[in-house]
Amino acid sequence: MTSPTESGTDFHPTHVVPQEGLPAWEAPDVSRPTAPLDPFLPVQLLSRQGAWAEILCSNGWSAWVDGRLLVSVPQPPPAGGGQPTRAEDPRPLLARSTDILARYRQAAEELASGLVDPGRFRDGTRGLRAGVVIDGESVWLYDESTGRWMYGDGGHLVTYAVVTGPGGSEQPSAAEPEPGAATGGPGRAAQADDREPTRVVMPPEAREG
């Protein structure tokens, strides 16, 4: 973590660390790890840089974490006249997943009918990535643009799990002593055999149960 600030700014927690704790870095760079954050630690979000989030602790120390894993602290309602905020709308991600599925299905039909060979099938489907699990009112959607699994109940989505770390590498496990070491740094994907377990953030409904 970086040294405490001397500005005297009041600490106003906006998030808490999830129950598994969080790896932390001195800067938005996976090669500069620092002490991990304790579970349920209140923090104040200072800024965002992609998936990275700069946070401030109550003792004045700051650090950078994977902002997608922070749990929001409910804020008081606006003073009046403001528009209520909405959680992430599931419809755009549902539409994108439907489009990707349709493209894959079309390619699979062309392969099965002999219109294309396996090589063209591989070329045509390269880069397609989607994930949808539906169980009654619950849905899990994979957002390939951010590397997140999202959980929803039809009206909104929340982050359920993160596949990639804030720098674009595979998400390190809580026990990893040197975050980023398995991937060689930000932006470099890990080999399939080296992938760390996905970090899971339980949806509010599951935590309340």
Side-chain angles (χ1 to χ4, degrees):
M1 295 186 182
T2 57
S3 301
T5 61
E6 298 179 357
S7 61
T9 303
D10 292 337
F11 175 73
H12 300 289
T14 58
H15 297 75
V16 295
V17 174
Q19 62 183 354
E20 300 86 3
L22 268 186
W25 293 266
E26 295 179 355
D29 181 350
V30 294
S31 67
R32 300 178 59 184
T34 186
L37 302 181
D38 293 332
F40 304 114
L41 177 71
V43 298
Q44 180 179 344
L45 178 64
L46 298 179
S47 64
R48 287 188 181 274
Q49 185 174 318
W52 292 99
E54 183 183 16
I55 55 92
L56 176 69
C57 301
S58 60
N59 61 3
W61 290 80
S62 63
W64 288 82
V65 299
D66 188 339
R68 300 168 297 181
L69 296 175
L70 292 173
V71 180
S72 297
V73 174
Q75 300 297 315
Q83 296 296 325
T85 58
R86 294 186 59 188
E88 193 162 352
D89 190 338
R91 290 173 295 180
L93 189 52
L94 281 167
R96 191 157 67 246
S97 299
T98 300
D99 177 65
I100 293 172
L101 179 59
R103 291 167 59 187
Y104 186 89
R105 178 179 178 180
Q106 178 65 30
E109 290 178 348
E110 292 176 351
L111 177 65
S113 62
L115 296 177
V116 299
D117 58 30
R120 290 188 61 186
F121 172 75
R122 286 193 297 270
D123 292 340
T125 56
R126 183 175 292 116
L128 294 182
R129 183 175 289 109
V132 179
V133 177
I134 297 176
D135 183 10
E137 67 177 11
S138 299
V139 63
W140 288 263
L141 300 170
Y142 180 67
D143 185 353
E144 76 283 357
S145 64
T146 59
R148 298 180 298 172
W149 275 96
M150 307 293 292
Y151 168 81
D153 58 4
H156 68 282
L157 293 174
V158 295
T159 299
Y160 179 79
V162 175
V163 178
T164 57
S169 57
E170 292 294 318
Q171 182 70 21
S173 66
E176 182 66 38
E178 296 183 2
T183 63
R188 178 179 172 188
Q191 298 298 321
D193 292 342
D194 296 332
R195 292 182 178 178
E196 297 288 349
T198 297
R199 181 181 297 278
V200 174
V201 180
M202 298 302 294
E205 292 84 353
R207 290 200 295 269
E208 292 173 1

